[in-house]
C-alpha cells in the first residue's frame, strides 16, 4: 500500500462523504476560550512570559460583549478567568493573570484541558485557542508510560476532536517550541476546522494570536507602507496595531493636517494602549487623508478600519493542500448588503503569500454582477501562509488578510513511512532487547508503534480526514458535481472505494492480532 493507494481512497471518500461534514453551522456570535500550558518546560521556553503578553494582546483585540475565558493546564486544569462577557473589567482581570501563568506544574494533560474548556455550552461557535510547548505527558501515578500518554493522545484526536467539530467547537492550536507534538497540533486543528501554527520565535507568538483573532472576527484593513496609510471618507474609526522592539522609543501619530499625537496626548476620543512589544490605538471619526506613524515599527503591523463599506469573503478553510483548487468569492458590502453602487473600476486580486511574505500565487477575480469569483491553485509549499484579498477602485483600497496553513495531503503518510512521526519520535528506544518479549516490551508493556503500525493508524484515520476535507471543499465539489450527474463512471469509483474500505477493515483486524514472539537470550 503506497501513496497512490491512499490518494485514490481519499478521492473516493470525498465523493462518498457528501452531506456528512463534521462541523455543523452555527450562526450566533462566537465565544473565545484560551488554554495556556503552564507545564514546567514553559519556564525555559518562555522566559520573558510572552504567553502573558499574548493574552494581554488578545484581551485588547476581542470585541466588547464577546464571551471569553482563560484556562491553564499542566498536571491539572484550572480556570482562573471564568467565561464572561469582555468589557473593561474583564480585561483588567485578564491583565492580572500573569502570576497564574508562572505557577508551573510537572506534567502536561492536553486532553483534559481541551475537554474542560469545551464543556460549557455556548450560543454560537466555541473557538478554543490552545497554546502548548510540549506533548502529552501524564503523571506516572495514572498508569504505565508511555501507554497512558498514547491512549490520551488517541482519545483526543480520534474521539474528542470529531465530537467537538460536530458541536461547533473549533480548536486553533499553537505549538510554542520544537518540542511540541506538531502532528497533534496539525490534526487537532484540521479536524475541528481551526488554524494550526508553529511559533518559531517568542516574538511571532503575538502574530499567531492576531492571525487567530482575525479569523474569528474578520475586519478590513488598509495598506500600511513605510509608516503611511490612507483613510477614506466615510471611515468611522481605525485601529492601529503597531509592533515594535521591546521598550523602544515612543511612537508618534501624525494626522493629515500635521497634528502630532502621542500616548500622553492621543487624538480626541482615542484609546492608546502601550505595551512592551506593541502599541494598540483606536481612533474614532478620523480625518480623511494620509496619516503616518513616526518611529520604528515591525512589518507585520496593521491598520484596521470600520465603516458602512466593507470587503466581504465567502468562507475559506484554515488548512490548504498543495495542488488544491480553491474557489474564491469576494464583494464589497454597504450596510451588510452587496454594494450596488460600487466603483465601476473596482478590481479584486487574491495573493497567496508564504511565511516570508513572498507572493507564491496570484489571481484576479472576475466580476459577476455585484460579486467577484475565481479560483486559485495552491502551489507547492508547506507551513504558515496568508491569503491577501485586495479591493481597489476609485476612492477605495481595502485589504483582507486571512492566515492559512499549507499541509501536504499525505504528510501524515510520509511521517508514518519514514518512521519519525512527532508523536512517537521521543519515546523509548526501539532497539532489540533479548530479555524482553518483542511484542509487549519490558515486563509486558507495549513497545511504541512501528512504521507499519503508524501507517495503519493513518489509514484508520482516513475517514475522519476525508470528512474534514469534504467540509472544506464542499462548495467546489457541489459546483463540479452537477457536471457529472448521471455519469456511470462515478458508480465505478464508488464501487472501488467500497472494496478499498473492506480491505482496510481486514488490515485493522490483522493489526489487532498481535503475535507474541519470544527470543531466548543467546549463550556465549
Amino acid at each position: 500500500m503506497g501513496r497512490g493507494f491512499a490518494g485514490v481512497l481519499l478521492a473516493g471518500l470525498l465523493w462518498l462523504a457528501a452531506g456528512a461534514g463534521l462541523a455543523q453551522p452555527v450562526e450566533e456570535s462566537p465565544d473565545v476560550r484560551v488554554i495556556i500550558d503552564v507545564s514546567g518546560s514553559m519556564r525555559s521556553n518562555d522566559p520573558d512570559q510572552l504567553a502573558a503578553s499574548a493574552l494581554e494582546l488578545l484581551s485588547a483585540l476581542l470585541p466588547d460583549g464577546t464571551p471569553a475565558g482563560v484556562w491553564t493546564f499542566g498536571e491539572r486544569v484550572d480556570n482562573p478567568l471564568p467565561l464572561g462577557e469582555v468589557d473593561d473589567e474583564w480585561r483588567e482581570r485578564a491583565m492580572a493573570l500573569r502570576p497564574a501563568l508562572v505557577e508551573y506544574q510537572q506534567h502536561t494533560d492536553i486532553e483534559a484541558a481541551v475537554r474542560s474548556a469545551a464543556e460549557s455550552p455556548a450560543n454560537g461557535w466555541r473557538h478554543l485557542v490552545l497554546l502548548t510547548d510540549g506533548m502529552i505527558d501524564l503523571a506516572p501515578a495514572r498508569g504505565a508510560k508511555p501507554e497512558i500518554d498514547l491512549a490520551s493522545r488517541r482519545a483526543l484526536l480520534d474521539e474528542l476532536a470529531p465530537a467537538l467539530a460536530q458541536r461547533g467547537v473549533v480548536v486553533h492550536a499553537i505549538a510554542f517550541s520544537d518540542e511540541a507534538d506538531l502532528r497533534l497540533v496539525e490534526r487537532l486543528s484540521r479536524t475541528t476546522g481551526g488554524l494550526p501554527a508553529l511559533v518559531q520565535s517568542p516574538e511571532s507568538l503575538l502574530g499567531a494570536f492576531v492571525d487567530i483573532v482575525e479569523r474569528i472576527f474578520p475586519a478590513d484593513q488598509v495598506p500600511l507602507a513605510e509608516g503611511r496609510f490612507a483613510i477614506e471618507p466615510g471611515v468611522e474609526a481605525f485601529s492601529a496595531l503597531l509592533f515594535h522592539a521591546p521598550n523602544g522609543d515612543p511612537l508618534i501619530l501624525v494626522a493629515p493636517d500635521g497634528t502630532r499625537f502621542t500616548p500622553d496626548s492621543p487624538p480626541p476620543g482615542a484609546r492608546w494602549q502601550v505595551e512592551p512589544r506593541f502599541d494598540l490605538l483606536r481612533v474614532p471619526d478620523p480625518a480623511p487623508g494620509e496619516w503616518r506613524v513616526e518611529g520604528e515599527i515591525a512589518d507585520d503591523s496593521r491598520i484596521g478600519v470600520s465603516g458602512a463599506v466593507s470587503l466581504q469573503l465567502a468562507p475559506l478553510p484554515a488548512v490548504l493542500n498543495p495542488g488544491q483548487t480553491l474557489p474564491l468569492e469576494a464583494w464589497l458590502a454597504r450596510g451588510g448588503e452587496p454594494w450596488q453602487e460600487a466603483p465601476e473600476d473596482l478590481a479584486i486580486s487574491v495573493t497567496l503569500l508564504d511565511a516570508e511574505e513572498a507572493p507564491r500565487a496570484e489571481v484576479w477575480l472576475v466580476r459577476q454582477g455585484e460579486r467577484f469569483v475565481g479560483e486559485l491553485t495552491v502551489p507547492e509549499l508547506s507551513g504558515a501562509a496568508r491569503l491577501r484579498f485586495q479591493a481597489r477602485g476609485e476612492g477605495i483600497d481595502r485589504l483582507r488578510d486571512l492566515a492559512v496553513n499549507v499541509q501536504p495531503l499525505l504528510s501524515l503518510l510520509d511521517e508514518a513511512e519514514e518512521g519519525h512521526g512527532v508523536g512517537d519520535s521521543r519515546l523509548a528506544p526501539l532497539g532489540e532487547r533479548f530479555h524482553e518479549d518483542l511484542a509487549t516490551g519490558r515486563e509486558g508493556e507495549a513497545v511504541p508503534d512501528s512504521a507499519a503500525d503508524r501507517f495503519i493508524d493513518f489509514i484508520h484515520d482516513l475517514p475522519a480526514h476525508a470528512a474534514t476535507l469534504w467540509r472544506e471543499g464542499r462548495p467546489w465539489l457541489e459546483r463540479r458535481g452537477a457536471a457529472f450527474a448521471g455519469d456511470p463512471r462515478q458508480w465505478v469509483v464508488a464501487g472501488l472505494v467500497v472494496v478499498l474500505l473492506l480491505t482496510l477493515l481486514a488490515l485493522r483486524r490483522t493489526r489487532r492480532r498481535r503475535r507474541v514472539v519470544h527470543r531466548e537470550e543467546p549463550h556465549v
Side-chain angles (χ1 to χ4, degrees), residues 272-285:
W272 194 321
Q273 178 180 344
V274 179
E275 298 294 337
R277 295 178 183 271
F278 68 89
D279 281 23
L280 177 62
L281 59 151
R282 305 176 188 273
V283 180
D285 301 319

Side-chain angles (χ1 to χ4, degrees), residues 168 172 403:
H172 309 276

Side-chain angles (χ1 to χ4, degrees), residues 146-405:
E147 288 85 349
I148 56 171
D149 298 337
L150 293 174
S152 177
R153 186 179 188 275
R154 289 181 176 173
L156 173 61
L157 296 177
D158 298 344
E159 301 171 13
L160 180 58
L164 294 179
Q166 288 279 11
R167 291 158 48 194
V169 179
V170 180
V171 182
H172 309 276
I174 302 174
F176 191 57
S177 78
D178 292 335
E179 296 300 314
D181 188 341
L182 305 183
R183 278 185 65 189
L184 182 146
V185 166
E186 291 176 350
R187 285 186 56 193
L188 179 60
S189 297
R190 178 161 197 149
T191 301
T192 59
L195 177 68
L198 170 60
V199 175
Q200 300 286 1
S201 65
E203 292 77 11
S204 60
L205 175 61
L206 300 180
F209 267 70
V210 174
D211 290 340
I212 291 171
V213 171
E214 289 181 344
R215 286 202 68 96
I216 303 174
F217 304 101
D220 283 9
Q221 299 177 32
V222 295
L224 173 64
E226 297 180 349
R228 298 176 181 270
F229 59 97
I231 295 297
E232 312 146 5
V235 169
E236 298 172 359
F238 75 77
S239 298
L241 177 57
L242 308 173
F243 293 106
H244 51 70
N247 303 314
D249 294 334
L251 301 177
I252 298 174
L253 179 66
V254 183
D257 62 1
T259 305
R260 302 168 69 82
F261 301 105
T262 66
D264 294 330
S265 58
R271 295 170 53 187
W272 194 321
Q273 178 180 344
V274 179
E275 298 294 337
R277 295 178 183 271
F278 68 89
D279 281 23
L280 177 62
L281 59 151
R282 305 176 188 273
V283 180
D285 301 319
E290 185 181 79
W291 293 67
R292 72 177 190 273
V293 178
E294 292 184 356
E296 294 294 331
I297 59 175
D299 292 338
D300 54 351
S301 300
R302 57 202 75 187
I303 308 295
V305 295
S306 60
V309 176
S310 62
L311 177 60
Q312 300 292 317
L313 313 178
L316 289 166
V319 177
L320 309 179
N321 307 119
Q324 174 184 357
T325 300
L326 190 65
L328 305 168
E329 185 176 358
W331 64 96
L332 282 182
R334 187 177 184 88
E337 298 294 332
W339 190 15
Q340 299 180 356
E341 291 80 23
E344 293 185 0
D345 64 342
L346 180 65
I348 300 180
S349 64
V350 184
T351 306
L352 181 64
L353 306 171
D354 62 20
E356 304 300 324
E357 295 293 317
R360 301 296 300 272
E362 185 177 37
V363 63
W364 288 87
L365 304 187
V366 178
R367 191 166 193 163
Q368 292 186 356
E370 299 160 351
R371 300 182 182 238
F372 292 74
V373 298
E375 293 180 340
L376 183 143
T377 300
V378 180
E380 289 293 332
L381 72 151
S382 179
R386 188 177 306 276
L387 282 169
R388 173 164 294 169
F389 289 73
Q390 186 163 9
R392 286 164 284 200
E394 183 179 357
I396 192 165
D397 191 350
R398 295 291 180 89
L399 297 175
R400 275 285 185 95
D401 274 4
L402 200 64
V404 295
N405 193 281

Side-chain angles (χ1 to χ4, degrees), residues 87-108:
D87 54 18
D88 290 341
E89 180 183 355
W90 188 95
R91 292 187 178 95
E92 290 178 2
R93 296 175 64 191
M95 297 286 190
L97 285 181
R98 274 186 180 269
L101 302 184
V102 294
E103 294 178 356
Y104 299 118
Q105 302 174 30
Q106 187 173 1
H107 298 284
T108 310

